[in-house]
Amino acid sequence: MSTVVWEPVIEFTVHGEPIPKSRPRAKAGQRPFTPQRVKTGEANVRAAFEIAYPEFEPLPRGVQLRIDVTFHRSTRHGVDTDNLLKLVTDALNRVAFADDEQISNVHAYRVYGAGADARTEVRISRAA
């Protein structure tokens, strides 16, 4: 097995409490909808990325990616790390990379006690 060398490409921070991706909701007799909190969370991730990389072209299909994400939360309230990660990767689809299926290596961490400094730190690397 050969060792993959990762070349950092993208690094940015999303300020504010990390938001988990939740399942679409449905009211009786209506189509499922995405909760506003999730839409806002995804928009915040995209905005932070676009501020850091205003002219960035999404990394094309076929490029193998690694994502490192650290979620600095103010509370331990029951949130799954995979749901936090899902919001970030969905928000960056077609913005930072062509499709999140390109991500082959994931490192995600939750840190508690951030208080007013709650944030999400994102680093995306490509196979060199």
Side-chain angles (χ1 to χ4, degrees):
M1 183 171 145
S2 65
T3 302
V4 176
V5 176
W6 298 101
E7 171 188 321
V9 178
I10 297 166
E11 289 187 46
F12 68 99
T13 300
V14 183
H15 296 282
E17 191 70 34
I19 304 296
K21 180 93 176 203
S22 58
R23 291 190 177 105
R25 305 285 185 225
K27 293 183 181 176
Q30 295 181 351
R31 296 178 60 182
F33 65 94
T34 301
Q36 186 59 47
R37 179 173 180 231
V38 171
K39 289 180 185 178
T40 300
E42 288 180 341
N44 290 342
V45 170
R46 276 191 302 275
F49 171 81
E50 290 171 346
I51 288 168
Y53 299 92
E55 303 293 322
F56 195 86
E57 290 293 323
L59 296 164
R61 290 184 189 278
V63 175
Q64 184 180 356
L65 301 175
R66 169 182 167 153
I67 187 166
D68 293 87
V69 187
T70 304
F71 301 100
H72 296 268
R73 294 184 44 82
S74 62
T75 178
R76 289 185 182 266
H77 181 55
V79 175
D80 293 342
T81 303
D82 60 330
N83 291 336
L84 292 166
L85 181 65
K86 183 71 173 152
L87 184 128
V88 171
T89 58
D90 284 356
L92 296 175
N93 261 336
R94 296 178 300 280
V95 177
F97 38 76
D99 193 283
D100 59 5
E101 73 177 8
Q102 296 170 250
I103 300 170
S104 63
N105 197 300
V106 175
H107 297 260
Y109 310 91
R110 284 183 302 183
V111 178
Y112 297 110
D117 195 28
R119 66 195 181 280
T120 302
E121 298 170 343
V122 180
R123 181 174 60 227
I124 300 173
S125 304
R126 65 185 297 158

